[in-house]
Amino acid sequence: MNRHRTLGLAALLFGTIGTATAGDYGDRVDRRLDRKGDRIEHRLDAKGDRIEQRYDRRTDWADRHGYHHAADHLDARGDRIDRRLDHQGERVEARWDRRGDRFDRRWDRR
């Protein structure tokens, strides 16, 4: 009789621990995927900034040498590329956030 009660108590205890561990695992994966999205967004933002700076240098050169129309085009192109990469980084970060949240929800349902 005591043995059955002990087994029931152990099963209850381990079941609770297993559920808590499962929830923690889902949260850890969610945080890891969020960090991955943040890293990718930061990398794309930095790339856009570098490209924009390169176009700014070319724009300055064109302005100094009298190519004002070309300078306007170069400036607009650098801004456009930077905006596109910023937007792409935001989309990628949002996608990884959604993946992490979805994984966490699915894992918690187990």
Side-chain angles (χ1 to χ4, degrees), residues 53-72:
Q53 288 173 357
R54 185 182 324 142
Y55 274 97
D56 285 345
R57 285 193 303 271
R58 291 174 66 184
T59 300
D60 293 342
W61 183 91
D63 254 345
R64 278 195 313 269
H65 291 85
Y67 301 107
H68 304 292
H69 188 70
D72 293 339

Side-chain angles (χ1 to χ4, degrees), residues 2 28 33 54 92 99 106 110:
N2 259 349
R28 280 197 320 260
L33 292 176
R54 185 182 324 142
V92 166
R99 284 182 181 177
R106 275 188 296 178
R110 288 178 143 191

Side-chain angles (χ1 to χ4, degrees), residues 25 27-37 39:
Y25 179 70
D27 291 338
R28 280 197 320 260
V29 171
D30 182 26
R31 284 192 305 269
R32 187 176 72 222
L33 292 176
D34 288 347
R35 285 192 309 267
K36 181 176 184 173
R39 280 194 312 269

Side-chain angles (χ1 to χ4, degrees), residues 2 6 11-12 29 44 51 55-56 82 88 92 105 107:
N2 259 349
T6 305
L12 179 68
V29 171
L44 287 171
I51 290 172
Y55 274 97
D56 285 345
D82 185 37
Q88 182 180 354
V92 166
R105 281 195 310 272
W107 193 262

Side-chain angles (χ1 to χ4, degrees), residues 11-51:
L12 179 68
L13 181 64
F14 287 126
T16 306
I17 291 171
T19 305
T21 305
D24 291 344
Y25 179 70
D27 291 338
R28 280 197 320 260
V29 171
D30 182 26
R31 284 192 305 269
R32 187 176 72 222
L33 292 176
D34 288 347
R35 285 192 309 267
K36 181 176 184 173
D38 291 341
R39 280 194 312 269
I40 293 171
E41 181 191 19
H42 184 271
R43 191 176 337 137
L44 287 171
D45 287 346
K47 180 179 182 180
D49 292 342
R50 283 193 313 271
I51 290 172

